[in-house]
Amino acid sequence: MAFEVLTPVEQNHHLPELPYPHAALEPYIDARTMQLHHGEHHARYVEELNGALAPFPDLQSKSALWLLLNLRKLPAEIRVAVRASAGGHVNHSLLWQAMSPTGGGVPVGAVGDAIARDFGSFNQFKTRFDEAGAALRGSGWVWLARSLEKGGTLEVLTTTADDHPQMHGRFPLLLNDLWEHAYYLKHENRRSDYLAGWWPLVNWPEAARRYERSGHSVEGKSTRYPWTKQAF
Ligand code: MN3
């Protein structure tokens, strides 16, 4: 009897490991939510992305961020799937890094100065971020991002579904997930409670690193995206 040998689909995109244990963000985010969010939701985006790219070997060496920022160069039949799955993969990869069991406090250094300059104060920024996150209808993300124009002003913005600020010329410094899967087990329908209680997890040193990276492009007035070389 002949068996057909199934060649495994090329897996070019991988689920990154969480930088901390599932329970490390308790009590702000419960361990079960982290297990499902990382091990099921994020994992599914990676699977979907690999699946969409499987028939297109030429695209398999591209980073998820490159794919997301070059949707028009992709075959039309996979654009919708890549937009959702690459966006979800990139955004969740950033989200895990944006939080830390030893997070919280106030941003210091250049990013702290920029927040005070562009929002009036750190507290005013937090209020803007929480209000924007609460106001988005449906699923999406809330961001602190740096514009490429206007001298690199900081902005709070939201994106719907799994879109990403670099699709709109803005470099993300900090983000939170507004999909119900991010908070529903613990907070049920109270998204505002989740947002207001999330600040002790913010990894400000990571936001400071991202602010520094964003500066090269703002100062050079580059219209390209030299920062797209990332691990995802
Ligand atoms: Mn999510």
Side-chain angles (χ1 to χ4, degrees):
M1 185 188 282
F3 289 93
E4 188 183 356
V5 177
L6 295 174
T7 310
V9 171
E10 197 65 41
Q11 301 288 309
N12 288 289
H13 298 275
H14 300 277
L15 181 67
E17 277 189 38
L18 273 185
Y20 33 74
H22 290 119
L25 305 184
E26 300 250 16
Y28 308 104
I29 302 179
D30 57 286
R32 184 62 182 152
T33 292
M34 288 302 293
Q35 283 170 353
L36 293 169
H37 201 174
H38 177 259
E40 299 292 336
H41 290 278
H42 188 171
R44 211 65 61 232
Y45 285 110
V46 175
E47 270 177 32
E48 286 169 9
L49 181 58
N50 284 322
L53 298 177
F56 302 99
D58 292 353
L59 295 174
Q60 289 173 1
S61 60
K62 303 293 189 188
S63 74
L65 191 56
W66 186 94
L67 293 164
L68 194 57
L69 300 181
N70 291 277
L71 291 170
R72 276 172 293 183
K73 296 180 185 170
L74 307 183
E77 65 265 35
I78 62 168
R79 271 179 218 155
V80 170
V82 169
R83 182 174 182 167
S85 58
H89 180 32
V90 168
N91 293 352
H92 284 93
S93 298
L94 289 173
L95 177 65
W96 313 134
Q97 296 167 8
M99 302 188 290
S100 164
T102 57
V106 296
V108 293
V111 70
D113 293 346
I115 286 171
R117 178 194 70 201
D118 294 336
F119 297 100
S121 69
F122 177 52
N123 280 332
Q124 284 175 278
F125 154 69
K126 285 204 299 183
T127 300
R128 285 269 292 279
F129 192 93
D130 286 350
E131 287 178 354
L136 181 79
R137 293 187 71 88
S139 299
W141 298 78
V142 58
W143 307 84
L144 170 65
R146 190 171 185 189
S147 173
L148 280 185
E149 299 112 30
K150 300 179 279 185
T153 309
L154 302 195
E155 301 172 357
V156 166
L157 60 122
T158 53
T159 55
T160 54
D162 283 302
D163 279 359
H164 177 90
Q166 282 177 240
M167 298 165 79
H168 311 289
R170 283 155 178 78
F171 186 80
L173 307 179
L174 180 68
L175 70 162
N176 200 357
D177 189 336
L178 303 175
W179 287 60
E180 288 181 345
H181 65 233
Y183 60 85
Y184 217 86
L185 286 183
K186 181 178 169 71
H187 297 281
E188 300 182 335
N189 57 323
R190 299 178 298 276
R191 186 195 279 174
S192 294
D193 288 1
Y194 168 66
L195 289 168
W198 175 76
W199 293 103
L201 297 178
V202 172
N203 183 353
W204 285 113
E206 172 66 9
R209 280 190 288 277
R210 296 190 62 79
Y211 183 80
E212 198 171 319
R213 285 175 63 195
S214 73
H216 302 305
S217 300
V218 175
E219 286 151 21
K221 299 197 184 339
S222 171
T223 54
R224 293 182 304 121
Y225 295 91
W227 53 58
T228 53
K229 280 192 118 182
Q230 306 202 37
F232 41 79

